[in-house]
Amino acid sequence: MFKKGVCEKSLGDYEPARQTLERVVREFPRRSFFLSQLADTYALMGEVHLAKVFFREAFFHNPAEIELAFLESEMINRLISRVKELGYEPPLLQEWLPVYGVLYGVFTVKRELKSLEYGKLRQSIYALEGELTDEHADRRTIIPRLLNRYFWLMDHYRINNEEPLKIQDTLYKIRLLDEKIYELYIH
């Protein structure tokens, strides 16, 4: 069914592609490759809001799973080009796309996390922070993943009007991780 949806999208049959890919995503809601194709279809249909929602979700779950060569929309390809200009190539490119997607105003659609999602986000952050202390860990991959999760955490705090101290603590962690990203994020 997924291949059918991608073929329909490639042929410009966007409405049937959307319907097919939505069915696939209902069955596999956390598969980044499927989510990215649905997002790309929405972008090609001119449904920018929904495209941003699904691209952000896709790049949150597993950016390494997303095959950039299969993305056709101008919105995502402009972002890919801009991040490539910064010197990132696959597979690191996929890891940095959600970070710069937030900074460049592409991944602007936020959503409230369910309590279970918030718990999983906190666990994921804790695990990645732990990995950073391992001298054998690949920091090049961990840092953008952690930054992306910090951005989601900041969104959660803002949506839920959390105390400013939590926001300041997360901003401090972003700053420690990457001063340049911190400066871009706060400005």
Side-chain angles (χ1 to χ4, degrees):
M1 185 176 288
F2 174 71
K3 289 179 181 177
K4 177 182 183 269
V6 171
C7 287
E8 290 167 338
K9 182 187 85 155
S10 296
L11 293 171
D13 296 331
Y14 302 133
E15 184 56 33
R18 180 196 60 79
Q19 292 173 7
T20 303
L21 293 169
E22 280 180 348
R23 275 185 262 147
V24 172
V25 166
R26 274 194 297 279
E27 289 291 318
F28 304 96
R30 299 179 71 87
R31 290 289 311 272
S32 293
F33 187 54
F34 299 160
L35 287 164
S36 68
Q37 288 300 310
L38 179 58
D40 200 43
T41 302
Y42 277 124
L44 292 167
M45 295 175 73
E47 297 283 345
V48 176
H49 181 81
L50 288 170
K52 288 180 175 190
V53 167
F54 284 101
F55 272 130
R56 190 162 187 253
E57 292 286 330
F59 281 99
F60 176 75
H61 293 296
N62 185 6
E65 183 181 270
I66 299 170
E67 295 196 33
L68 303 179
F70 290 103
L71 301 177
E72 302 173 35
S73 63
E74 184 179 338
M75 176 178 74
I76 197 69
N77 280 304
R78 258 188 282 139
L79 176 61
I80 292 167
S81 293
R82 286 186 75 185
V83 177
K84 272 186 176 181
E85 288 172 5
L86 297 171
Y88 297 106
E89 292 294 329
L92 288 180
L93 176 62
Q94 285 93 318
E95 300 294 343
W96 282 100
L97 280 170
V99 173
Y100 285 99
V102 169
L103 299 175
Y104 293 159
V106 178
F107 295 166
T108 55
V109 180
K110 312 321 191 222
R111 69 171 179 84
E112 189 169 351
L113 297 175
K114 298 173 186 155
S115 60
L116 182 62
E117 291 175 314
Y118 172 69
K120 286 182 178 183
L121 175 64
R122 298 282 304 165
Q123 287 176 334
S124 175
I125 288 171
Y126 183 75
L128 288 168
E129 288 173 340
E131 284 182 49
L132 274 179
T133 63
D134 181 356
E135 63 186 52
H136 302 297
D138 185 3
R139 293 178 62 86
R140 298 173 314 147
T141 303
I142 295 170
I143 289 174
R145 284 183 186 175
L146 192 50
L147 287 167
N148 187 26
R149 278 154 179 76
Y150 286 151
F151 291 166
W152 277 75
L153 186 61
M154 293 287 290
D155 294 340
H156 173 78
Y157 289 157
R158 287 185 177 123
I159 288 169
N160 290 290
N161 295 316
E162 292 284 345
E163 58 189 71
L165 187 58
K166 288 183 177 182
I167 292 172
Q168 290 303 317
D169 181 50
T170 306
L171 282 171
Y172 179 71
K173 289 179 178 184
I174 292 169
R175 187 175 193 175
L176 287 177
L177 210 53
D178 191 312
E179 181 79 29
K180 183 180 98 178
I181 296 297
Y182 169 79
E183 290 298 327
L184 289 170
Y185 185 74
I186 63 169
H187 291 105

